[in-house]
Amino acid sequence: MDSSIEEGAPPVGAPTAAPTGGTDGPGPPAADGAAGEAADAGAAGETAEAGAVRVAAAPTSLSPSRAGDFIQCPLLYRFRVIDRLPEKPSEAATRGTLVHAVLERLFDAPAAERTAPRATALIPGQWDRLRESRPEVDELFAGDPEGERLARWLGEAERLVERWFTLEDPTRLEPAERELFVEAELDSGLRLRGIIDRVDVAPTGEVRIVDYKTGKAPRPEYAESALFQMKFYALVVWRLKNVVPRRLQLVYLGSGDVLTYDPVLDDLRRVERKLLALWEAIREATATGVWRPRPTKLCGWCDHQAHCPEFGGTPPPYPLPVRAAGSGGDTQGRMGPD
């Protein structure tokens, strides 16, 4: 860990947040935090409501979670971004949201008061706030009249928060930003957006991007995939500030591991090329209406099996105009109801 970023004068030069807008669809099964869910409205293509009919719009930007969806399964991307199919909350994702909120709020306290007991004491209040803002999470414990499952679940969140104190020392940290929304437009016109859990800035101006994960660290052969999100953020910061972050840091609370990577400019340029190719594939699928499923072991987590051809399902009518085969720019189809 780079101690020069942990200590020193008040941070300066943090990336500037762009205005937020809209809400995102649900994240992957193990998604961490509500922040990532708030970043993808543009990536998903907002829907305009006219009475009871919602008119779908083509995607206009890209976030790490939605890029990951398309890489995992183009049809999953369509279900989440184009069709906006509902997904049930999960205990793992909701726990991640709760832990993120606690770690964010802890830094409101003076450095000397950022202790594990204070952090765990924040859990009940943050859980109440989460239930108020997202009433659907109450469904998770609807069949738990005695509150036993909820108590165990809250206890697991408490252990994750306590483990964080064995990995980082918040009394030596003064984050420049927490839950920072960032957005940048590439030369190609593609807009990238996302929310960074924490940005630390050293007195010398070096930037560290930190992301909390409530799951376990991946095996070494999957580390590159895990770092994709962080390199995405680093690319946005570079495009916004012309500064390559000094360090990317993934803090895995589930296993007590910290994964770090020090990017160089060539890394970010490679990520940019990958994202541009990915965006072209998304634009082609949007225009043709062809979103192919990509079966993997993760299909067992998917809420959309009833609509997936791999499981005998039928996708809903495609709600965007499609380009007829061999027609060049002509389109066919209609804007259907949601």
Side-chain angles (χ1 to χ4, degrees), residues 106-115 118 170-171 173-174:
L106 180 65
F107 285 102
D108 291 341
E113 298 177 20
R114 297 171 195 159
T115 63
R118 184 184 183 103
T171 65
L173 293 168
E174 289 298 338

Side-chain angles (χ1 to χ4, degrees), residues 210-274:
V210 181
D211 194 72
Y212 309 121
K213 299 295 184 185
T214 50
K216 297 181 179 180
R219 296 197 298 268
E221 60 266 33
Y222 297 113
E224 182 62 30
S225 176
L227 283 168
F228 171 75
Q229 172 189 4
M230 304 302 284
K231 292 181 179 180
F232 184 111
Y233 291 146
L235 171 62
V236 176
V237 169
W238 172 51
R239 284 300 190 181
L240 282 174
K241 291 292 183 179
N242 199 30
V243 173
V244 176
R246 170 70 178 83
R247 175 155 294 180
L248 311 177
Q249 182 165 302
L250 284 162
V251 182
Y252 287 94
L253 305 178
S255 57
D257 296 299
V258 177
L259 177 63
T260 62
Y261 183 81
D262 297 342
V264 296
L265 189 54
D266 284 346
D267 288 329
L268 307 188
R269 287 176 172 148
R270 281 192 292 271
V271 170
E272 183 169 344
R273 289 194 295 269
K274 178 177 181 177

Side-chain angles (χ1 to χ4, degrees), residues 9-10 12 21 50 70 80 121 138-139 142 145 156 158 173 201 204 206 209 212 221 255 271 276 285 288 315:
V12 294
F70 190 84
R80 284 179 165 161
D138 279 332
E139 300 173 15
E156 291 166 359
E158 183 174 312
L173 293 168
V201 181
T204 54
E206 294 167 314
I209 296 175
Y212 309 121
E221 60 266 33
S255 57
V271 170
L276 290 174
T288 62

Side-chain angles (χ1 to χ4, degrees), residues 47-56 335-338:
T47 56
E49 295 201 10
V53 178
R54 294 193 306 169
V55 180
M335 302 295 287
D338 199 27

Side-chain angles (χ1 to χ4, degrees), residues 88-136:
K88 297 178 182 178
S90 73
E91 290 190 14
T94 305
R95 185 167 50 242
T97 300
L98 176 59
V99 170
H100 274 69
V102 169
L103 297 185
E104 180 190 4
R105 293 276 72 84
L106 180 65
F107 285 102
D108 291 341
E113 298 177 20
R114 297 171 195 159
T115 63
R118 184 184 183 103
T120 55
L122 292 172
I123 290 176
Q126 292 302 315
W127 172 233
D128 288 341
R129 289 185 61 186
L130 180 58
R131 294 174 60 204
E132 183 178 343
S133 63
R134 297 173 60 186
E136 68 272 15

Side-chain angles (χ1 to χ4, degrees), residues 278-310:
L278 190 67
W279 187 243
E280 283 303 309
I282 290 172
R283 290 178 61 187
E284 178 67 13
T286 302
T288 62
V290 177
W291 302 87
R292 302 187 188 283
R294 185 174 295 148
T296 68
K297 294 179 180 179
L298 295 175
C299 290
W301 293 91
C302 187
D303 280 349
H304 308 306
Q305 293 180 9
H307 296 287
C308 180
E310 294 294 323

